[in-house]
Amino acid sequence: MALLSNFTVAVLLLAFALSTCLYINHLSNHDRLVRSVYTKQNNIKAHERLVKNINPATQQNNSVETNTVHTVSSQETDISRDSKCTMAPESRFDCARDRLLSQTECEERGCCYAPLPDSAGPPWCFYPSLYPGYKMGPFTPTTRGQAATLSRATPSYLPKDISTLQLEVIEETAGCLHLTLKDLSSQRYEVQLPAGVPERKPDTQDALYTTEYQSDPFGFIVRRKSNGRVIMNTTVAPLLFADQYLQLSTTLASSLVSGLGEHYTSLLLDLNWTSLTLWNRDTAPHADANLYGSHPFYMVQEEDGMAHGVFLLNSNAIEVMLQPTPALTWVAIGGILDLYVFLGPDPQSVIRQYLQVIGYPMMPPYWSLGFHLCRWGYTTTKTTRHVAQSMHNAQFPMDVQWNDLDYANKRRVFTFDPWRFGDLPEMVEEFHNRGLKYILILDPGISSTSPPGTYPPFDDGLKRDVFIKNATGHILIGKVWPGPTAFPDFTNPETTHWWEDCIREFHSKVPVDGLWIDMNEPASFVQGSVEGCPDSDLDYPPYTPRVVGGQLNSGTLCMSAQQKLSSHYNLHNMYGLTEAFATYSALMRVRGKRPFVLSRSSFPGIGRFSGVWTGDVRSDWEQLRYSIPAVLQFSLFGVPLVGADICGFGGNTTEELCVRWMQLGAFYPFMRNHNDKLNAPQEPYIFGKKAQAAMRSVLNLRYSLLPFLYTLFHHAHTSADTVARPLFMEFPTDPNSQNIDRQFLWGSSLLISPVLEQGAVELAAYLPPGTWYSLHNGQPYYSKGQYLLLPAPLDTINVHVREGHIIPQQEPALTTAASRRKPFFLTVALSAGGWARGDLFWDDGDGLDTYEMGNYCYVIFIAGQSQVVSDPLRLNGALDGLVLGGLQVFGVPSPPLYVLANGDIVRDFTYRSDTKVLTVSSLALPMSQVFTVQWAL
């Protein structure tokens, strides 16, 4: 017994000694932080373990102003190499990102080398703590904020290292912090987004963030002011800044990260030592590949329902490394570090703050929210007419008939084939007379081999000097569908005028209603050019991120190609954005109506001018599933008008897959069925009767919901709201909603739960806390935040209305031209307290700037105390002659004794006791006037 006691005492003494040593070592590492705000130690969460340099003495000063920064520097303490290299494997930051290193080469860099059993995952060569880097000087005021000089005494290991930088810190608004890191000695390329983003008004609110700076080696920490949570901490790894390699690492506040598109991923990104490359590439969606668009923006869901976002405004090739620390490393191979931090504090506020920088989305024409039908392989006007007529005969709603490149003479844009499409102008006029619209494809590549004088787009472009040049100053020739092609330089103002002239001339013959800009990464079938590319640092940089094809010029132009603004090396990722801006502007001037543009390539800000589709998806169940996170990601990127090719573009669909895809696609904000020419047909009318009935039913449902969808787009355009919305954005404090990407919302009130598995006839759907009503029959579901097993036969997609909301609807028709004249009806989903609210935005459907000019109607609907009241807040005549034909009220607790409409008895109403639904029919209440429908219980 005594022996045991002595042993216990010895163990305790040893543990105490060890803990004391560890504590002293812990304090010795906390010696070089600049603090600008007091933060209690107990607020520092586990993910802030990497903040190893907080000086306890500075924590006593809680009177320091938020925007005051005291920089301090201290000599490095004498810490053994072993202690500097001792860290958890998930906390290692790669010191050999730029190339593979041996142990000797790693240690020559001053980095740690420690192999692990598994070759995948954490790096073997990694930075020690406090790796030497830039030293920060004092802040001085600038016109926009404050600036400091960063300098390094010895160069880094990178070629063409830049030794002196300028840090500028701009407090843009209370919720937006803006930091830039630039080369002081020479001008470098900086992204300028297309003009027209409204100036932000000065913000008088207190900032939601505080900043702290470590002077040597330089790093910064951004905290959320309300709770001290670390949003960014860049002191964990060195800042590197060379001519063609810029690197910045930061910890993340949680592992719930979304964004960094365009990739084939779930809504939440995998942080288990993954890397994502942002480099626009013509490649069909598949895992671990850089796809058509680049969006260097991410959002982090924090632990308590708060969220923040970070945007790196850089158009060069970017690689983002994600690791389970959780942490992230940006590597850009050009430009500057132009970083925005958005503090939210809720997810929707983060998106609004982001869009205040890149621009709010355009308002789409009403007709563009209808159904679109396309195929590569409608080889004649006769075939195209037959498709549109077959849709009409089978009673499928459709608004827009499309043609792929089949229409073009020798595949040259701005022409049409005189034999197969000789009566294209007449066909388009026929469509217009029937209330249909017409769109065709427009690739950027301009054929360069037609005899001089026979192809005006090239001849005129040559005279006006609009094409991208190669390194020797000659026109760069690539190869696309028509053969050898030149590529317009949309950063040249003259090019936008020439492009408009080409569109105007073509539109005078073929009055298209919108344009589909494809192949605009830009894509080319040869590497770089028909003559290859020079052996330069642009075409073969010191470091190339992991890209499809292995080289930056794979499947596109030479990086050394010259554009008006800069080299293609700097501008490649913006090619689709600049073309979309030119196309949108041209259509606006040529047609005098609201433009419709659909682009494949994208970059931040493209939502101002264009919708996007997700490219050449395959006809399979996995791609059906992944289309939801793809659409939701574009919602986060400010591109609400987005959808995937319904039933798939590549490969043959099946009847079941196509039905399920039409059901899901009816709730894509942009709804188009598109198919490749070699595949089995997938137009709705070619399937069996049951499949057709299911497709017709969901198309009619979409068309009935278009007034609601159009109103959501109005709020996206004017307030930066999202249309297709991840559940976590609406329910940020619900932990179950954080990772859901098989269901989504329209706005805040409709929950869409599609079937995504072959053979499934029931569905486990998550309903967030509250009451949800089936849109189909008003059946209530009282959820505590749980999964429910719902019937989902082939003819059904589950859609639920959230309590407290009113959905404006309209009787469907075969086109929106017809449906817009039909009676409205309301779906009213009462809350437990008997209240609900909704709204309707209504204008002419395709006029320019109707909201900005005040040329619209806006009506709110309020339900409460057993009545529904409309309140037209603004009227302009657009609703004249339109009536409310009826309404259905979900959650009426008992049968009404009677119903009144504007004080008059209504005889045509029904009540179902099982579902508690009141349906009122045969009304004709003018939508442009106040109305009241009440029921007595």
Side-chain angles (χ1 to χ4, degrees):
M1 188 75 173
L3 182 64
L4 185 60
S5 299
N6 290 338
F7 177 78
T8 305
V9 170
V11 169
L12 288 171
L13 286 171
L14 180 61
F16 177 75
L18 282 170
S19 64
T20 304
C21 291
L22 286 169
Y23 180 67
I24 291 168
N25 186 53
H26 178 71
L27 287 182
S28 72
N29 280 325
H30 285 54
D31 64 352
R32 44 174 79 235
L33 184 70
V34 183
R35 293 197 58 79
S36 61
V37 70
Y38 170 74
T39 305
K40 291 182 181 175
Q41 277 289 295
N42 61 10
N43 278 343
I44 299 176
K45 303 285 190 280
H47 61 257
E48 295 170 53
R49 286 196 310 269
L50 293 171
V51 188
K52 292 181 177 175
N53 37 23
I54 297 173
N55 185 340
T58 65
Q59 291 194 348
Q60 304 309 310
N61 181 9
N62 59 2
S63 63
V64 179
E65 293 295 325
T66 300
N67 59 358
T68 304
V69 179
H70 301 277
T71 59
V72 295
S73 175
S74 62
Q75 294 302 309
E76 192 169 328
T77 54
D78 184 19
I79 304 171
S80 71
R81 181 178 185 79
D82 285 349
S83 67
K84 281 187 170 185
C85 294
T86 302
M87 60 183 72
E90 68 270 15
S91 298
R92 295 179 176 186
F93 287 83
D94 196 348
C95 181
R97 171 61 52 188
D98 57 315
R99 64 188 181 90
L100 197 62
L101 298 180
S102 67
Q103 179 173 353
T104 303
E105 291 170 319
C106 172
E107 291 173 347
E108 283 172 353
R109 287 187 171 184
C111 290
C112 307
Y113 189 84
L116 293 166
D118 188 0
S119 59
W124 290 10
C125 178
F126 54 96
Y127 297 109
S129 55
L130 301 177
Y131 185 82
Y134 290 92
K135 183 176 180 180
M136 177 183 176
F139 270 120
T140 56
T142 68
T143 54
R144 302 193 302 170
Q146 48 189 355
T149 299
L150 309 184
S151 54
R152 56 185 313 144
T154 55
S156 74
Y157 52 79
L158 295 170
K160 299 184 183 176
D161 187 57
I162 295 168
S163 61
T164 307
L165 303 175
Q166 183 186 57
L167 165 71
E168 187 174 19
V169 181
I170 307 117
E171 296 188 357
E172 298 276 3
T173 65
C176 175
L177 175 66
H178 184 191
L179 304 100
T180 62
L181 284 158
K182 304 181 184 181
D183 181 359
L184 261 182
S185 59
S186 66
Q187 182 69 35
R188 295 173 62 80
Y189 170 72
E190 298 182 28
V191 175
Q192 297 295 325
L193 293 174
V197 177
E199 286 290 317
R200 288 183 292 284
K201 295 172 185 158
D203 202 327
T204 55
Q205 291 178 291
D206 287 342
L208 301 179
Y209 48 83
T210 63
T211 51
E212 306 159 17
Y213 298 86
Q214 177 176 278
S215 67
D216 186 15
F218 167 75
F220 63 87
I221 295 175
V222 180
R223 291 181 186 269
R224 185 176 293 288
K225 191 174 185 179
S226 63
N227 58 14
R229 178 178 295 126
V230 173
I231 298 303
M232 290 185 71
N233 176 10
T234 73
T235 69
V236 291
L239 163 70
L240 298 175
F241 202 121
D243 184 40
Q244 291 180 273
Y245 190 98
L246 289 65
Q247 179 175 301
L248 183 71
S249 300
T250 178
T251 55
L252 297 165
S254 88
S255 297
L256 304 171
V257 184
S258 299
L260 300 173
E262 179 181 3
H263 298 94
Y264 188 73
T265 63
S266 55
L267 184 59
L268 288 185
L269 298 174
D270 178 8
L271 303 194
N272 190 25
W273 303 104
T274 56
S275 84
L276 299 169
T277 299
L278 279 59
W279 187 245
N280 294 0
R281 182 62 155 84
D282 170 14
T283 188
H286 62 284
D288 302 317
N290 50 300
L291 302 181
Y292 311 100
S294 291
H295 295 269
F297 165 81
Y298 66 83
M299 181 192 286
V300 178
Q301 299 176 60
E302 299 168 30
E303 294 169 359
D304 49 8
M306 291 187 177
H308 67 270
V310 176
F311 172 41
L312 177 62
L313 180 53
N314 183 298
S315 60
N316 288 89
I318 291 174
E319 192 167 18
V320 186
M321 279 63 67
L322 301 164
Q323 60 190 72
T325 319
L328 167 155
T329 297
W330 298 99
V331 172
I333 63 168
I336 66 168
L337 293 176
D338 191 350
L339 206 66
Y340 291 83
V341 186
F342 308 109
L343 272 291
D346 57 279
Q348 186 59 63
S349 297
V350 172
I351 300 305
R352 191 168 292 116
Q353 290 156 358
Y354 177 39
L355 267 56
Q356 284 168 358
V357 173
I358 65 169
Y360 285 14
M362 54 83 187
M363 184 69 185
Y366 194 96
W367 55 261
S368 71
L369 304 183
F371 179 65
H372 302 244
L373 186 58
C374 186
R375 179 172 189 172
W376 192 8
Y378 295 153
T379 53
T380 64
T381 50
K382 181 180 179 182
T383 302
T384 309
R385 282 187 176 98
H386 172 74
V387 168
Q389 189 60 47
S390 298
M391 287 291 289
H392 180 83
N393 293 347
Q395 294 291 288
F396 285 108
M398 181 176 90
D399 261 75
V400 195
Q401 179 63 56
W402 295 48
N403 274 120
D404 206 316
L405 204 52
D406 306 276
Y407 77 90
N409 186 11
K410 300 176 183 173
R411 295 182 166 180
R412 297 173 304 173
V413 294
F414 300 118
T415 71
F416 55 94
D417 187 284
W419 305 108
R420 295 179 299 107
F421 281 83
D423 60 347
L424 179 59
E426 291 78 9
M427 183 186 80
V428 175
E429 286 301 335
E430 291 167 23
F431 287 162
H432 287 166
N433 292 337
R434 288 172 41 193
L436 292 174
K437 306 295 183 184
Y438 180 73
I439 291 172
L440 46 68
I441 199 168
L442 180 61
D443 293 342
I446 302 295
S447 173
S448 61
T449 54
S450 301
T454 64
Y455 184 44
F458 183 73
D459 296 334
D460 192 32
L462 211 54
K463 288 177 196 164
R464 295 166 73 170
D465 194 23
V466 305
F467 298 118
I468 294 176
K469 307 280 181 42
N470 62 21
T472 61
H474 299 92
I475 293 174
L476 182 142
I477 302 297
K479 194 172 184 183
V480 200
W481 299 115
T485 50
F487 295 85
D489 172 13
F490 292 105
T491 69
N492 180 352
E494 182 59 27
T495 306
T496 60
H497 298 315
W498 161 83
W499 190 246
E500 181 184 323
D501 292 344
C502 291
I503 289 173
R504 186 181 301 278
E505 172 63 21
F506 187 73
H507 188 271
S508 68
K509 302 186 187 78
V510 184
V512 297
D513 298 286
L515 289 168
W516 168 24
I517 51 176
D518 192 12
M519 305 293 286
N520 56 345
E521 290 72 32
S524 179
F525 301 154
V526 294
Q527 185 167 338
S529 80
V530 293
E531 298 173 340
C533 300
D535 186 8
S536 69
D537 281 346
L538 295 182
D539 283 289
Y540 304 98
Y543 177 70
T544 299
R546 192 179 59 164
V547 293
V548 172
Q551 293 177 351
L552 296 180
N553 55 25
S554 176
T556 188
L557 314 185
C558 295
M559 296 300 103
S560 53
Q562 293 303 306
Q563 298 186 232
K564 180 84 171 177
L565 208 56
S566 189
S567 65
H568 195 69
Y569 179 88
N570 290 327
L571 294 169
H572 170 84
N573 278 346
M574 294 182 70
Y575 193 86
L577 170 64
T578 56
E579 186 196 15
F581 175 53
T583 308
Y584 181 89
S585 303
L587 282 173
M588 188 165 57
R589 292 189 181 96
V590 169
R591 296 180 68 248
K593 295 179 181 177
R594 209 175 297 167
F596 174 88
V597 181
L598 185 73
S599 176
R600 188 170 72 181
S601 169
S602 62
F603 188 78
I606 197 164
R608 293 171 56 200
F609 315 113
S610 179
V612 167
W613 91 106
T614 63
D616 296 344
V617 295
R618 286 192 321 273
S619 298
D620 66 41
W621 291 90
E622 180 189 274
Q623 299 251 336
L624 169 72
R625 287 190 290 274
Y626 273 97
S627 73
I628 298 177
V631 165
L632 296 180
Q633 295 257 12
F634 274 107
S635 287
L636 304 185
F637 300 149
V639 189
L641 190 65
V642 57
D645 285 343
I646 291 168
C647 303
F649 175 77
N652 295 326
T653 191
T654 64
E655 183 168 274
E656 182 191 1
L657 175 63
C658 203
V659 168
R660 292 306 194 190
W661 212 322
M662 282 286 281
Q663 289 170 342
L664 169 57
F667 291 93
Y668 293 153
F670 169 66
M671 185 185 190
R672 182 183 71 159
N673 179 322
H674 181 40
N675 193 8
D676 202 354
K677 58 184 173 184
L678 299 176
N679 303 332
Q682 59 190 39
E683 294 82 9
Y685 56 78
I686 66 100
F687 295 104
K689 284 187 177 179
K690 284 187 178 178
Q692 283 196 44
M695 292 178 177
R696 190 178 298 109
S697 169
V698 79
L699 268 171
N700 280 319
L701 175 59
R702 179 188 177 90
Y703 270 64
S704 79
L705 288 166
L706 288 183
F708 173 62
L709 181 60
Y710 192 62
T711 301
L712 292 179
F713 270 99
H714 161 70
H715 291 303
H717 173 61
T718 59
S719 305
D721 286 355
T722 46
V723 176
R725 186 172 300 177
L727 270 67
F728 77 77
M729 293 196 73
E730 195 62 30
F731 301 96
T733 60
D734 176 19
N736 296 322
S737 294
Q738 290 172 340
N739 63 351
I740 289 177
D741 61 7
R742 289 176 162 231
Q743 300 167 259
F744 58 99
L745 296 155
W746 265 12
S748 58
S749 45
L750 274 194
L751 176 64
I752 295 97
S753 307
V755 169
L756 304 170
E757 307 289 343
Q758 184 175 1
V761 291
E762 57 185 13
L763 172 76
Y766 179 73
L767 300 185
T771 302
W772 296 86
Y773 300 93
S774 166
L775 182 61
H776 173 61
N777 61 14
Q779 173 76 44
Y781 295 87
Y782 308 101
S783 175
K784 295 176 181 175
Q786 64 204 80
Y787 281 87
L788 296 176
L789 195 60
L790 303 173
L794 189 62
D795 63 354
T796 300
I797 179 171
N798 279 281
V799 182
H800 292 86
V801 191
R802 185 181 178 188
E803 63 171 319
H805 291 264
I806 298 176
I807 309 293
Q809 294 177 256
Q810 208 168 15
E811 288 182 18
L814 293 183
T815 64
T816 57
S819 70
R820 280 175 57 88
R821 299 191 292 268
K822 296 273 190 175
F824 285 87
F825 61 99
L826 299 179
T827 295
V828 181
L830 295 177
S831 68
W835 295 89
R837 189 187 185 282
D839 62 346
L840 172 69
F841 174 85
W842 197 257
D843 60 8
D844 64 9
D846 65 356
L848 292 171
D849 298 326
T850 57
Y851 173 73
E852 291 74 9
M853 305 289 286
N855 191 19
Y856 63 93
C857 299
Y858 185 67
V859 183
I860 61 170
F861 309 102
I862 298 171
Q865 298 175 320
S866 300
Q867 64 179 7
V868 177
V869 180
S870 79
D871 185 5
L873 297 185
R874 186 178 196 96
L875 294 169
N876 75 329
L879 281 171
D880 290 359
L882 296 174
V883 299
L884 182 78
L887 50 81
Q888 53 182 351
V889 187
F890 299 159
V892 177
S894 58
L897 302 174
Y898 57 85
V899 175
L900 302 177
N902 288 344
D904 297 329
I905 288 282
V906 175
R907 308 211 177 275
D908 198 352
F909 74 90
T910 59
Y911 178 80
R912 288 195 55 162
S913 298
D914 55 346
T915 55
K916 301 189 179 338
V917 174
L918 167 65
T919 304
V920 183
S921 308
S922 304
L923 299 178
L925 307 178
M927 289 291 290
S928 56
Q929 298 174 20
V930 175
F931 62 73
T932 303
V933 178
Q934 55 195 129
W935 53 96
L937 298 179

